[in-house]
Protein backbone atom coordinates (compact mmCIF):
# COMPACT_ATOMS: atom_id res chain seq x y z
CA UNK A 1 0.00 0.00 0.00
CA UNK A 2 1.44 3.39 -0.99
CA UNK A 3 2.14 5.91 1.75
CA UNK A 4 1.84 8.77 -0.70
CA UNK A 5 -0.90 11.27 0.14
CA UNK A 6 -4.15 11.41 -1.77
CA UNK A 7 -4.35 14.92 -3.23
CA UNK A 8 -7.32 16.64 -4.85
CA UNK A 9 -6.52 20.12 -6.17
CA UNK A 10 -9.04 22.48 -7.72
CA UNK A 11 -7.86 24.90 -10.40
CA UNK A 12 -10.53 27.58 -10.68
CA UNK A 13 -8.81 29.23 -13.67
CA UNK A 14 -10.25 32.63 -14.64
CA UNK A 15 -13.55 32.16 -12.82
CA UNK A 16 -15.21 33.86 -9.83
CA UNK A 17 -15.17 37.38 -8.53
CA UNK A 18 -14.03 37.80 -4.94
CA UNK A 19 -17.61 37.59 -3.67
CA UNK A 20 -18.30 34.51 -5.79
CA UNK A 21 -15.10 32.86 -4.52
CA UNK A 22 -16.11 33.48 -0.91
CA UNK A 23 -19.57 32.07 -1.59
CA UNK A 24 -18.14 28.98 -3.28
CA UNK A 25 -15.75 28.26 -0.42
CA UNK A 26 -18.59 28.74 2.03
CA UNK A 27 -20.62 26.12 0.17
CA UNK A 28 -17.90 23.48 0.19
CA UNK A 29 -15.68 24.06 3.22
CA UNK A 30 -17.80 22.40 5.91
CA UNK A 31 -18.42 19.33 3.73
CA UNK A 32 -14.74 19.02 2.86
CA UNK A 33 -13.67 19.29 6.49
CA UNK A 34 -14.99 15.81 7.24
CA UNK A 35 -12.49 14.07 4.93
CA UNK A 36 -9.34 13.37 6.91
CA UNK A 37 -7.39 11.09 4.59
CA UNK A 38 -7.08 13.44 1.64
CA UNK A 39 -5.19 16.64 1.01
CA UNK A 40 -7.54 19.22 -0.52
CA UNK A 41 -6.10 22.25 -2.31
CA UNK A 42 -8.06 25.02 -3.98
CA UNK A 43 -6.50 27.53 -6.36
CA UNK A 44 -8.71 30.61 -6.77
CA UNK A 45 -7.74 33.65 -8.86
CA UNK A 46 -5.06 35.87 -7.30
CA UNK A 47 -7.57 38.56 -6.32
CA UNK A 48 -9.48 36.12 -4.11
CA UNK A 49 -6.59 34.54 -2.21
CA UNK A 50 -6.64 37.04 0.66
CA UNK A 51 -10.39 36.81 1.31
CA UNK A 52 -10.50 33.04 0.92
CA UNK A 53 -7.57 32.60 3.32
CA UNK A 54 -9.36 34.85 5.81
CA UNK A 55 -12.56 32.84 5.47
CA UNK A 56 -10.85 29.48 5.90
CA UNK A 57 -8.85 30.58 8.93
CA UNK A 58 -5.79 28.86 10.35
CA UNK A 59 -7.43 25.61 11.46
CA UNK A 60 -9.15 24.67 8.21
CA UNK A 61 -7.76 21.60 6.47
CA UNK A 62 -8.29 23.08 3.01
CA UNK A 63 -5.00 24.36 1.61
CA UNK A 64 -4.60 27.27 -0.79
CA UNK A 65 -2.62 27.38 -4.00
CA UNK A 66 -1.93 29.96 -6.69
CA UNK A 67 -2.51 29.31 -10.38
CA UNK A 68 0.79 30.78 -11.56
CA UNK A 69 3.66 33.08 -10.56
CA UNK A 70 6.64 34.88 -12.03
CA UNK A 71 10.14 33.69 -11.30
CA UNK A 72 11.56 36.92 -9.88
CA UNK A 73 11.09 38.07 -6.28
CA UNK A 74 10.41 41.66 -7.33
CA UNK A 75 11.09 44.09 -10.14
CA UNK A 76 9.72 45.93 -13.13
CA UNK A 77 7.45 43.16 -14.37
CA UNK A 78 4.11 44.84 -14.88
CA UNK A 79 1.12 42.64 -14.16
CA UNK A 80 3.06 39.74 -12.64
CA UNK A 81 2.84 38.10 -9.21
CA UNK A 82 6.03 37.06 -7.40
CA UNK A 83 6.61 34.08 -5.09
CA UNK A 84 7.28 36.53 -2.25
CA UNK A 85 3.83 38.04 -2.75
CA UNK A 86 2.26 34.58 -2.52
CA UNK A 87 4.05 33.44 0.63
CA UNK A 88 1.51 34.94 3.03
CA UNK A 89 -1.46 33.41 1.27
CA UNK A 90 -0.70 29.95 -0.03
CA UNK A 91 1.49 26.90 0.21
CA UNK A 92 1.20 25.63 -3.38
CA UNK A 93 1.53 27.04 -6.87
CA UNK A 94 0.58 25.51 -10.22
CA UNK A 95 3.46 25.76 -12.67
CA UNK A 96 3.52 24.86 -16.36
CA UNK A 97 -0.21 24.35 -16.85
CA UNK A 98 -0.95 23.50 -20.47
CA UNK A 99 -2.88 26.74 -20.90
CA UNK A 100 0.19 28.68 -19.80
CA UNK A 101 2.31 26.71 -22.24
CA UNK A 102 -0.13 26.89 -25.16
CA UNK A 103 -1.83 30.28 -24.82
CA UNK A 104 0.92 32.30 -23.16
CA UNK A 105 3.83 30.52 -24.84
CA UNK A 106 5.64 29.60 -21.63
CA UNK A 107 8.74 27.60 -22.51
CA UNK A 108 10.42 24.79 -20.62
CA UNK A 109 13.17 27.25 -19.69
CA UNK A 110 10.65 29.66 -18.16
CA UNK A 111 8.99 26.84 -16.26
CA UNK A 112 12.38 25.70 -14.92
CA UNK A 113 12.99 29.18 -13.47
CA UNK A 114 9.55 29.21 -11.89
CA UNK A 115 10.07 25.82 -10.24
CA UNK A 116 13.40 27.00 -8.80
CA UNK A 117 11.88 30.25 -7.53
CA UNK A 118 8.88 28.51 -5.95
CA UNK A 119 11.12 26.11 -4.04
CA UNK A 120 13.49 28.90 -3.02
CA UNK A 121 10.63 30.82 -1.41
CA UNK A 122 8.98 27.86 0.27
CA UNK A 123 6.14 27.18 -2.16
CA UNK A 124 5.39 23.64 -3.33
CA UNK A 125 5.07 23.48 -7.13
CA UNK A 126 2.35 21.45 -8.78
CA UNK A 127 4.27 20.87 -11.99
CA UNK A 128 2.05 20.16 -14.99
CA UNK A 129 3.29 18.05 -17.88
CA UNK A 130 1.56 16.45 -20.82
CA UNK A 131 1.38 15.89 -24.55
CA UNK A 132 -0.99 17.19 -27.18
CA UNK A 133 -2.99 14.92 -29.47
CA UNK A 134 -0.52 15.05 -32.36
CA UNK A 135 2.33 14.09 -30.06
CA UNK A 136 0.40 11.15 -28.61
CA UNK A 137 -0.69 9.90 -32.02
CA UNK A 138 2.89 10.35 -33.24
CA UNK A 139 4.28 8.13 -30.48
CA UNK A 140 6.14 10.98 -28.79
CA UNK A 141 4.59 10.83 -25.31
CA UNK A 142 7.77 9.69 -23.56
CA UNK A 143 9.95 12.15 -25.47
CA UNK A 144 7.69 15.10 -24.65
CA UNK A 145 7.15 14.33 -20.98
CA UNK A 146 10.76 13.38 -20.32
CA UNK A 147 11.84 16.64 -21.89
CA UNK A 148 9.38 18.68 -19.82
CA UNK A 149 10.32 17.04 -16.51
CA UNK A 150 14.07 16.98 -17.10
CA UNK A 151 14.13 20.66 -18.02
CA UNK A 152 11.78 21.75 -15.21
CA UNK A 153 13.87 20.00 -12.56
CA UNK A 154 17.25 21.01 -13.96
CA UNK A 155 19.35 22.28 -11.06
CA UNK A 156 16.88 21.08 -8.40
CA UNK A 157 18.63 18.97 -5.76
CA UNK A 158 15.61 17.30 -4.20
CA UNK A 159 12.22 17.91 -5.78
CA UNK A 160 9.64 18.78 -3.13
CA UNK A 161 6.92 18.88 -5.75
CA UNK A 162 3.75 17.30 -7.05
CA UNK A 163 3.49 16.38 -10.71
CA UNK A 164 0.18 16.61 -12.55
CA UNK A 165 -0.17 14.67 -15.79
CA UNK A 166 -2.38 16.70 -18.11
CA UNK A 167 -2.95 15.29 -21.56
CA UNK A 168 -3.58 18.52 -23.47
CA UNK A 169 -6.14 16.80 -25.65
CA UNK A 170 -8.29 16.05 -22.57
CA UNK A 171 -8.35 19.49 -20.92
CA UNK A 172 -11.68 21.26 -21.16
CA UNK A 173 -12.77 18.96 -23.98
CA UNK A 174 -14.86 16.51 -22.00
CA UNK A 175 -12.59 13.81 -23.43
CA UNK A 176 -10.74 12.37 -20.43
CA UNK A 177 -7.96 9.87 -20.76
CA UNK A 178 -8.79 6.35 -19.63
CA UNK A 179 -7.54 5.12 -16.30
CA UNK A 180 -5.16 2.80 -18.14
CA UNK A 181 -3.65 5.61 -20.22
CA UNK A 182 -3.34 7.92 -17.21
CA UNK A 183 -1.72 5.27 -15.03
CA UNK A 184 0.69 4.21 -17.76
CA UNK A 185 1.83 7.82 -18.09
CA UNK A 186 2.01 8.28 -14.32
CA UNK A 187 4.35 5.28 -14.20
CA UNK A 188 6.42 6.90 -16.95
CA UNK A 189 6.65 10.11 -14.90
CA UNK A 190 7.74 8.14 -11.86
CA UNK A 191 10.41 6.32 -13.90
CA UNK A 192 11.75 9.61 -15.30
CA UNK A 193 12.01 11.12 -11.81
CA UNK A 194 13.62 7.88 -10.62
CA UNK A 195 16.36 8.22 -13.22
CA UNK A 196 17.05 11.74 -12.00
CA UNK A 197 16.77 11.30 -8.23
CA UNK A 198 16.57 7.61 -7.42
CA UNK A 199 13.81 5.14 -6.64
CA UNK A 200 13.03 6.40 -3.12
CA UNK A 201 12.25 9.89 -4.41
CA UNK A 202 10.20 8.66 -7.35
CA UNK A 203 8.13 6.32 -5.20
CA UNK A 204 7.35 9.13 -2.74
CA UNK A 205 6.33 11.54 -5.53
CA UNK A 206 2.59 12.32 -5.65
CA UNK A 207 1.40 12.14 -9.26
CA UNK A 208 -1.99 13.64 -10.08
CA UNK A 209 -4.16 13.29 -13.17
CA UNK A 210 -5.74 16.38 -14.73
CA UNK A 211 -8.04 16.51 -17.72
CA UNK A 212 -11.85 16.64 -17.62
CA UNK A 213 -12.01 15.02 -14.16
CA UNK A 214 -15.54 14.73 -12.78
CA UNK A 215 -17.47 12.73 -10.15
CA UNK A 216 -18.26 10.03 -12.71
CA UNK A 217 -14.67 9.23 -13.70
CA UNK A 218 -12.56 10.07 -10.62
CA UNK A 219 -12.74 6.52 -9.25
CA UNK A 220 -11.24 5.13 -12.46
CA UNK A 221 -8.18 7.33 -11.93
CA UNK A 222 -7.73 7.33 -8.17
CA UNK A 223 -7.93 3.54 -7.94
CA UNK A 224 -4.83 3.10 -10.11
CA UNK A 225 -1.50 2.14 -8.62
CA UNK A 226 0.50 5.20 -9.67
CA UNK A 227 -2.16 7.93 -9.56
CA UNK A 228 -2.42 9.71 -6.23
CA UNK A 229 -5.08 12.29 -6.94
CA UNK A 230 -6.40 14.81 -9.42
CA UNK A 231 -6.00 18.36 -10.62
CA UNK A 232 -9.63 19.30 -11.23
CA UNK A 233 -10.69 22.10 -13.57
CA UNK A 234 -14.32 22.87 -14.38
CA UNK A 235 -15.78 20.62 -11.69
CA UNK A 236 -13.81 22.45 -8.99
CA UNK A 237 -16.00 25.55 -9.29
CA UNK A 238 -19.17 23.52 -8.69
CA UNK A 239 -19.30 22.88 -4.97
CA UNK A 240 -21.35 19.70 -5.11
CA UNK A 241 -19.21 18.14 -7.83
CA UNK A 242 -15.93 18.99 -6.14
CA UNK A 243 -17.08 17.60 -2.79
CA UNK A 244 -18.22 14.42 -4.54
CA UNK A 245 -14.85 14.05 -6.24
CA UNK A 246 -13.12 14.33 -2.86
CA UNK A 247 -15.58 11.87 -1.32
CA UNK A 248 -14.99 9.27 -4.02
CA UNK A 249 -11.23 9.71 -3.84
CA UNK A 250 -11.36 8.77 -0.16
CA UNK A 251 -13.62 5.78 -0.77
CA UNK A 252 -11.53 4.31 -3.62
Amino acid sequence: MSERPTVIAGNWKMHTTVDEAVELVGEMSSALAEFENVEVIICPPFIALCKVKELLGQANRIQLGAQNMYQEAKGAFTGEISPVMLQDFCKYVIIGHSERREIFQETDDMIKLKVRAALKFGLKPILCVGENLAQREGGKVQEVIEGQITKALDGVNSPDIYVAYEPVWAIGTGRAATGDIANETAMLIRNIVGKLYGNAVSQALPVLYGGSVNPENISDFISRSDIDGALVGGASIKAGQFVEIVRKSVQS
Side-chain angles (χ1 to χ4, degrees), residues 20-119:
E20 288 168 345
V22 168
E23 181 180 357
L24 181 56
V25 171
E27 290 176 3
M28 65 172 64
S29 60
S30 59
L32 291 172
E34 69 180 82
F35 304 115
E36 297 183 356
N37 298 320
V38 59
E39 188 173 342
V40 179
I41 305 164
I42 57 173
C43 302
F46 292 129
I47 60 166
L49 282 171
C50 181
K51 279 289 188 181
V52 170
K53 179 178 174 63
E54 184 180 297
L55 176 64
L56 291 175
Q58 296 297 323
N60 202 295
R61 293 182 58 259
I62 301 173
Q63 300 288 331
L64 280 178
Q67 297 177 21
N68 184 37
M69 49 158 257
Y70 195 62
Q71 61 263 27
E72 299 293 341
K74 61 181 178 179
F77 305 104
T78 300
E80 292 293 340
I81 300 289
S82 82
V84 175
M85 294 172 180
L86 294 176
Q87 283 178 317
D88 290 337
F89 302 111
C90 57
K91 179 179 176 182
Y92 300 89
V93 57
I94 299 171
I95 294 177
H97 191 280
S98 64
E99 290 160 0
R100 300 298 311 178
R101 295 177 188 264
E102 295 288 322
I103 300 171
F104 299 100
Q105 300 298 299
E106 288 192 5
T107 65
D108 288 335
D109 283 320
M110 294 170 66
I111 290 162
K112 172 184 69 176
L113 295 176
K114 290 186 178 190
V115 168
R116 289 182 183 178
L119 293 171

Side-chain angles (χ1 to χ4, degrees), residues 119-139:
L119 293 171
K120 177 181 178 180
F121 291 101
L123 298 170
K124 186 186 290 288
I126 302 173
L127 172 65
C128 299
V129 299
E131 80 287 356
N132 61 35
L133 186 58
Q135 290 164 340
R136 171 159 286 276
E137 292 180 341

